[in-house]
Amino acid sequence: MKILHHPDRSDIHLSSVLYALSDPVRLYIVSEIKKAGERTCGDISVPVAKSTLSHHARCLREAGIVHVRVQGTQRFLSLRTEDLEFRFPGLLASILNAFDSSSEKDQLLQL
C-alpha cells in the first residue's frame, strides 16, 4: 500500500493553502467536510469525474488542508483544523464563511 505524505504542521505554507483553496471544487470539498466532519471521497457529491476528485483530494492533502485516512478501498478526508488554526489563525473560517455566502457555491452545484 502506498504511504500518503502529509506535510508537518511547520511545513504548511500560506501560498500552498491559498492555491489549493483557489479552486471552487476544492473549496466546496473543504466546506462539505467542515459541515459534516470526516467524509469519504464517494460521499462528496461534486460535478467531476472520480479521477478528478482524487486529484483535488491530493492537492488538499499536499497543501496540508486535509488528512487522508485509508481504510480498505476507501479514503476518508478530514480537515486539519488545529494545524491550520495554529499556522494561520482565522484563515480557514474566514475563507469558508465568504464561500458559504457567495454565489460560487450555488453555481458549482448547478453543473
Side-chain angles (χ1 to χ4, degrees):
M1 175 186 295
K2 183 179 175 183
I3 296 175
L4 302 176
H5 171 72
H6 294 85
D8 291 330
R9 178 186 278 187
S10 61
D11 292 332
I12 298 173
H13 301 286
L14 181 61
S15 58
S16 299
V17 171
L18 293 176
Y19 173 77
L21 294 176
S22 70
D23 185 280
V25 173
R26 291 193 286 263
L27 194 51
Y28 177 75
I29 292 167
V30 171
S31 174
E32 289 299 299
I33 295 169
K34 179 72 173 173
K35 288 178 188 168
E38 185 178 61
R39 309 273 305 267
T40 65
C41 287
D43 288 341
I44 303 170
S45 178
V46 290
V48 295
K50 281 184 178 182
S51 60
T52 305
L53 180 58
S54 294
H55 165 75
H56 287 308
R58 187 184 81 223
C59 287
L60 291 169
R61 176 179 49 82
E62 290 176 350
I65 299 169
V66 298
H67 181 268
V68 179
R69 178 174 62 89
V70 179
Q71 184 174 342
T73 59
Q74 294 187 324
R75 293 176 182 241
F76 290 85
L77 304 169
S78 60
L79 288 181
R80 294 179 63 180
T81 309
E82 280 185 28
D83 293 335
L84 290 169
E85 193 60 28
F86 180 83
R87 292 284 292 151
F88 316 108
L91 177 70
L92 187 61
S94 178
I95 291 173
L96 290 177
N97 287 338
F99 178 68
D100 286 339
S101 64
S102 75
S103 62
E104 270 187 273
K105 186 175 187 177
D106 299 329
Q107 292 171 356
L108 180 67
L109 294 174
Q110 291 174 0
L111 296 178

